[in-house]
Amino acid sequence: MALAAGRAMLMRSGVRLGTQAAARGGNGARRFMNHRVVVEPNTVPGVAVIKFKNPPVNSLTLEFLTEFVICLEKLENDKTFRGVVLTSDCPGIFSAGLDLREMCGKNPAHYAEYWRAVQEMWLKVYLSNLVLVAAINGTSPAGGCLIALSCDYRVLADNPRYRMGLNETLLGLVVPFWFKDTLVNTIGHRASERALQLGLLFPPAEALQLGMVDQVVPEDQVQSTALSVMTQWLAIPDHVRQLTKNMIRKATADHLIKHQEADIQNFINFISRDSIQKSLQVYLENLKQKKH
Ligand SMILES: CCCCCCC/C=C/C(=O)SCCNC(=O)CCNC(=O)[C@H](O)C(C)(C)COP(=O)(O)OP(=O)(O)OC[C@H]1O[C@@H](n2cnc3c(N)ncnc32)[C@H](O)[C@@H]1OP(=O)(O)O
């Protein structure tokens, strides 16, 4: 379903699906290249590494989301893969979250298409049959943090410049209930109440203390740590681990699935408001200004 919608979207946007290139890396592993998502089968058998490559900041554009979902779906359907490490190819940034330009100055049909893609991405990651380990090698606000929180395990680089959290209120936005649920399921109710209302972005030591990440390691060890953690997770037979994961996550995902259309309508109504459009424009302008 998501794959079909994604293919249609890529066709509309002029991206040819036949262009995915396969090449052999130095270790003989096949390396699949999309435009914005690079998939590398790794030295650990059954494990692929997905690298986000949507410069400058890995913002979650419609095209990025579509490629990402297609990549995950392909890996899920290829029974040689049991686990995936998610990481970034953009130095210092895991993902800047939802692309603000997708939510600014567009029409309701675009907002609907974009929000459905955000929902589908979250459902795909949150309910994946694969073991997903986030190797967070950069800052990850809002939607970037959501991706990491939706994985099974999080390893964060020990760099005080890398912040993580759901900072939506700082943009004048209210997080959707399923962003909130994902955070509450990870760090608990009280910590989420404070983090969400204040739009807090946490440095590594605090993220670890809160349980937002599972491990903080030196920057050059993020991916290797993620891969060794993966070995531990893959020691469990897939079917029992998958059934257990599904049992724990199903209610949260079902809540969105049941209200998916209403959630899209709510997003359109909210994001189309003049006051929200104005605050997003001001936020984008401030990002530009800070450079000068
Ligand atoms: C009922 C439903 C309600 C709606 C719910 C909506 C939920 C929203 C979720 C989100 O994810 S909103 C996005 C939140 N993200 C952020 O707040 C991050 C903003 N960006 C930054 O803080 C910084 O850019 C950075 C990520 C820390 C990187 O800093 P750096 O100094 O390295 O780069 P910049 O010069 O700031 O940025 C480069 C370039 O990229 C543009 N950009 C940055 N973030 C975004 C983004 N999220 N979307 C689109 N574009 C982004 C930035 O404007 C610069 O552009 P140019 O000036 O070069 O054109």
Side-chain angles (χ1 to χ4, degrees):
M1 174 75 169
L3 188 59
R7 279 172 189 276
M9 200 288 288
L10 283 177
M11 296 296 198
R12 279 200 299 282
S13 67
V15 176
R16 286 190 301 131
L17 287 164
T19 57
Q20 189 185 57
R24 292 215 173 259
N27 60 2
R30 269 158 68 85
R31 190 171 191 273
F32 299 94
M33 299 274 299
N34 279 302
H35 291 257
R36 301 164 189 84
V37 178
V38 178
V39 186
E40 297 177 341
N42 203 271
T43 41
V44 177
V47 179
V49 176
I50 289 186
K51 288 191 171 164
F52 302 152
K53 193 174 187 178
N54 197 21
V57 292
N58 281 335
S59 62
L60 306 177
T61 57
L62 187 52
E63 290 190 346
F64 174 90
L65 291 168
T66 307
E67 281 190 22
F68 180 35
V69 167
I70 288 174
C71 271
L72 271 179
E73 211 150 304
K74 280 185 174 168
L75 291 169
E76 274 185 346
N77 291 337
D78 179 342
K79 294 303 166 214
T80 54
F81 292 106
R82 299 175 60 214
V84 172
V85 170
L86 298 182
T87 193
S88 164
D89 197 58
C90 294
I93 296 161
F94 181 71
S95 164
L98 302 194
D99 191 283
L100 296 166
R101 290 180 180 91
E102 300 277 14
M103 303 190 284
C104 250
K106 303 281 198 300
N107 59 41
H110 179 85
Y111 294 141
E113 185 179 22
Y114 182 62
W115 199 246
R116 191 180 297 281
V118 177
Q119 291 176 334
E120 293 294 340
M121 180 278 295
W122 177 72
L123 289 169
K124 176 58 63 189
V125 175
Y126 196 68
L127 293 177
S128 179
N129 274 337
L130 297 159
V131 175
L132 297 182
V133 177
I136 311 161
N137 53 347
T139 245
S140 54
C145 177
L146 180 77
I147 292 179
L149 292 175
S150 305
C151 291
D152 298 296
Y153 195 91
R154 287 159 284 285
V155 182
L156 174 61
D158 191 7
N159 184 328
R161 285 186 296 114
Y162 299 169
R163 307 274 164 146
M164 222 185 137
L166 298 180
N167 62 329
E168 279 80 351
T169 54
L170 301 185
L171 286 78
L173 302 173
V174 180
V175 281
F177 66 86
W178 40 285
F179 281 47
K180 178 266 295 174
D181 290 343
T182 311
L183 184 69
V184 170
N185 292 349
T186 311
I187 67 170
H189 201 274
R190 170 63 195 137
S192 298
E193 224 181 287
R194 176 169 166 268
L196 285 175
Q197 289 188 55
L198 298 178
L200 298 176
L201 290 169
F202 299 100
E206 285 180 48
L208 182 64
Q209 199 185 12
L210 277 176
M212 187 173 266
V213 296
D214 300 294
Q215 253 182 289
V216 171
V217 300
E219 194 150 5
D220 60 351
Q221 291 169 28
V222 175
Q223 194 169 315
S224 57
T225 306
L227 287 165
S228 56
V229 164
M230 183 66 84
T231 310
Q232 183 194 353
W233 283 70
L234 294 184
I236 307 296
D238 281 340
H239 64 288
V240 286
R241 189 196 52 73
Q242 287 163 355
L243 286 170
T244 306
K245 177 173 178 174
N246 194 266
M247 177 176 62
I248 292 171
R249 295 191 170 200
K250 190 173 183 304
T252 301
D254 278 353
H255 192 189
L256 174 60
I257 292 166
K258 196 165 165 215
H259 301 285
Q260 202 162 353
E261 300 308 318
D263 186 61
I264 291 172
Q265 199 50 55
N266 185 45
F267 174 75
I268 297 170
N269 295 342
F270 183 83
I271 215 74
S272 304
R273 285 187 204 163
D274 287 346
S275 59
I276 300 299
Q277 286 292 308
K278 182 90 191 119
S279 50
L280 289 180
Q281 277 154 11
V282 169
Y283 192 79
L284 269 168
E285 200 47 49
N286 287 343
L287 284 178
K288 273 194 202 309
Q289 296 292 331
K290 83 174 168 44
K291 288 183 186 165
H292 302 295

